Amino acid sequence: MAPTNLQTQAPVDLAAADAVIDSYQADKSWLVMILQDIQEAYNYLPQPVLEHVAVRLALTPSHVYRVATFYASFSLTRRGRHLILICDGTACHLRGAENLQEELTRRLGVAPGQTTADGLFTLETVACLGACALAPVMMIDGTYFGKLTSEKIVAALERFAAKEAPDA
Amino acid sequence: MPEARMNCLADLRGRQERARVAFYGPKVRLSVGVGTCGLANGAGDVLEALRDEVARRGLDFTVRATACVGLCEMEPLVDVLAPGLPRVFYHKVDPARARDLVAGLAKGLHHGDWALMRADQDKLLVDLPRSLTGSLNGLAAVPTFEEIPFYRHQMKVALRNCGFIDPLDVEEYLATGGYSALAKAMESMPPEQIIETIERSGLRGRGGGGFPTGKKWRACREAHGEPKYVLCNGDEGDPGAFMDRSIMEGNPHAVLEGMAIAAYAIGASYGYIYVRREYPLAVDHLRRAILQAEQAGLLGINILGRGFDFTVRISRGAGAFVCGESTALMASIEGQAGEPRAKHIHTSEKGVFGRPTTLNNVETWANVPVIINQGADWFAAIGTKASKGTKVFSVVGKARTTGLVEVPMGMTLREIVFDIAGGVAGGRQFKAVQTGGPSGGCLGEDQLDLPVDFDALTAAGSMMGSGGLIVMDDRTCMVEVARYFTNFLRRESCGKCTACREGVLRMYELLEKITAGQGTTADVDLLEEVSRYVADNSICGLGKSAPNPTLSTLKHFRGEYLAHVTEHRCPAGVCKALTKFTILTASCKACGKCSKACPTEAISGGAKKVPALIDQAKCVRCGSCREVCPFDAVGTE
Ligand SMILES: Cc1cc2nc3c(=O)[nH]c(=O)nc-3n(C[C@H](O)[C@H](O)[C@H](O)COP(=O)(O)O)c2cc1C
Ligand code: FES
């Protein structure tokens, strides 16, 4: 599986973005939160949406772009349907997180920051998931996997891949 | 049915009393810790099993979801409060055991043989010690809290209630005396006296800097400009630390109450809690706590009918370590990129939105209500001369028992690592303990008698930081640890000032070179020189402290650096370019564990009495075989 950039050029429906912006009364001080909610709705931050946000909040596009590229959690390209966060915090690092990240890379064929060719998984590293006592730790779509081992990785990937089976 | 909004202090007292009666009432109360670590250990299924079994048997029990009591390794933990009996805790409960517990309790019986510990007195709830003595009915053999090494030396102030109450129900917080401090402050303490109490208590910021909290509040109170803001730093960027998460998840009202007291004293009307995105549960619990507090008249407009307004909102971080720094955090709340600015003007005068602002850490806030309730002298009696009260540490890494511990300041690192956490896991040799987060320092065996104290730790080249305490054993390479932290800081440097942006990168390159086996003694010297330059010339705390891991390991573990550059050897067997794993045939018992653990199938043999053999061409030097070998039969060269 090779990494891909699945960004499409198709027109984007802005209704979801408007709903988010309205829920913050189009207050530009909530920009970081607005972008997070928009990313949740669209899976990433499509360029036309960023431009729309700038218009709605009366900000320059360059300001919105600067904020969108400053924070690690924003993605300007489409991400996989499932987000795998492998912790590389200190506690996890000392308990072999690096080997597990390599295991994930071997299994998925992508490095951290990349998405599998089938669009199923995006792999990312994080600096700590706050479950350090159970190191090493990974999280898939909000579900925690503690005391992680290679076997647990295989089982977890299968479980999430199976969820997609019929219509994927 | 939710109770009505409270409009006066008498309403609060009445409601606290009703909540207390319900809490310690006639019903059996079962609770499971379903904080982040509980969930990662399967506590969700246990909660469901308890609820289902109670319903199936038609029992009139209360089943509650609580958060973390700090013993993360022992989760899922079930806490049982039955009338007339001590509080009993069960560890490593699975759904089947959960059902059996309910079955026993239906007949009034505990499973004493499964229990981890009991509490005869709820004195961990500092605000309201409560005796639970009654019959010991079959529980005499279960050790008490005070007898368990992990808890014996602890003192819970900031962590009070965490894991003992349902954080999603304000009534449970009220039952333990919650919001009494806010009521006391508004009723009987002029703002000046509140600030003086905090000053006299000696409380210092728990977010890392150790700045005197009362002094900060005073500066903000005296500053001109409206409105004023009170902020909570819940960014907890320090990897390996999770006490702030535990408090936000397990006792969110303590944070809100602390903030409201400060807002009242300072004259602030708005508050923000800045939480990192990796903590979705903390965000959810805080959000619900704010809503409940507003409905109860404890936050929002005209709090408790006293004409005081204070509104709190949550701002989620978006993944930038530097946003834990005060000015970067404020920029992020304003909708900007989170870049720090030089603090020529104090944020107490011009902070968020250019207005007077007070920022404190989650743990700092959680201490405030206790100080107001118990008084400054009570608090100041705990700890050392210049570090008062307690500090929460997350003991992680190679410690035997990992989890959250709260100890009085002044306790030594040795007591925490060995007496509380049981020393190093797997019977290995202790090498170092790292405190202070990515920009803290590593302290060796000879420094274990240092007390937990802001100034003592800084003097030793580390720092208190937010309380991550990472235990390292003889299989941890200190050069690699320095490389790891420097890599982290290199990525998190926001790039605004040259010393940090370029300097930390150069340090990282040198450390890479050394761990790759290509370093020289001149590189080690250069590394030291660059480190000092970065420390002296960066704008914000990130750059100023970024050299700490390197400088502290150079100071205490220089021999390990020299082994890398002169002998081309990694003594801990970690640096891949310098390590080769081999099986010590004489010790190998052919158990097969190593070949199973090997991710690249590089190990043959290891079964039917044939000793294992590592194919060096396939070996990726991950060390998994050495980790799992029960016979110490994997050697390094
Ligand atoms: C790079 C950097 C990161 C920081 N990260 C945090 C953090 O994650 N949490 C925190 O409470 N304080 C953090 N701080 C400290 C804050 O700047 C600030 O001193 C603190 O929140 C003040 O609260 P306190 O006085 O109650 O500790 C950080 C500082 C720096 C320089
Ligand atoms: S270091 Fe991995 S969860 Fe904290």
Side-chain angles (χ1 to χ4, degrees), chain A residues 24 28-33 36-37 63 66-67 70-74 88-91 93-95 98-99 102-103 106 124 126-134 144 146-147, chain B residues 36-37 40-41 72 239-240 242 245 272 276-278 313-314 316-319 323 332-339 353 396-398 402 470 476 480 484-485 488 576 599 622:
Chain A
Y24 291 94
K28 66 180 176 212
S29 72
W30 290 106
L31 178 61
V32 181
M33 292 280 275
Q36 289 182 70
D37 290 0
H63 179 90
R66 178 169 146 69
V67 170
F70 180 85
Y71 296 95
S73 68
F74 293 133
D88 188 30
T90 320
H93 181 75
L94 283 185
R95 291 208 182 169
E98 204 174 326
N99 295 322
E102 283 168 12
E103 177 78 20
R106 263 196 298 277
E124 279 178 17
V126 286
C128 180
L129 289 166
C132 327
L134 304 173
Y144 280 83
K147 298 189 181 161
Chain B
T36 295
C37 25
N41 263 338
C72 315
F242 56 100
R245 169 181 72 68
Y272 285 90
R276 68 204 305 252
R277 65 153 178 156
E278 288 85 356
R313 301 191 70 174
I314 295 171
R316 260 183 295 140
C323 284
S332 185
I333 290 179
E334 291 167 1
Q336 321 268 350
E339 282 182 354
F353 303 114
V396 296
K398 306 283 183 75
T402 52
I470 294 144
T476 310
E480 203 281 333
Y484 166 79
F485 284 123
F488 176 88
K576 294 186 178 179
C622 67

Side-chain angles (χ1 to χ4, degrees), chain B residues 272-341:
Chain B
Y272 285 90
I273 306 179
Y274 190 82
V275 191
R276 68 204 305 252
R277 65 153 178 156
E278 288 85 356
Y279 290 176
L281 210 57
V283 170
D284 179 56
H285 287 195
L286 284 166
R287 192 165 273 157
R288 295 205 224 180
I290 291 171
L291 207 68
Q292 286 190 12
E294 280 176 354
Q295 283 164 354
L298 296 162
L299 274 185
I301 307 296
N302 194 16
I303 293 172
L304 288 173
R306 310 284 298 189
F308 161 55
D309 303 341
F310 180 55
T311 311
V312 180
R313 301 191 70 174
I314 295 171
S315 185
R316 260 183 295 140
F321 173 74
V322 75
C323 284
E325 194 276 342
S326 54
T327 56
L329 179 145
M330 291 174 199
S332 185
I333 290 179
E334 291 167 1
Q336 321 268 350
E339 282 182 354
R341 60 170 173 77

Side-chain angles (χ1 to χ4, degrees), chain B residues 204-211 213 216 233-238 244 321-327 329 343 359-362 364-365 439 466 540-543 545:
Chain B
R204 293 171 67 175
R206 302 300 195 237
F211 193 84
T213 304
K216 212 185 245 186
N233 192 339
D235 197 48
E236 193 154 68
D238 170 359
D244 294 348
F321 173 74
V322 75
C323 284
E325 194 276 342
S326 54
T327 56
L329 179 145
K343 285 180 239 174
L359 169 71
N360 279 120
N361 161 266
V362 170
T364 313
W365 287 125
S439 37
S466 56
C540 89
L542 193 152
S545 58

Side-chain angles (χ1 to χ4, degrees), chain B residues 125-141:
Chain B
L125 314 181
V126 280
D127 286 359
L128 207 84
R130 176 161 188 121
S131 175
L132 300 171
T133 41
S135 133
L136 273 184
N137 210 357
L139 292 169

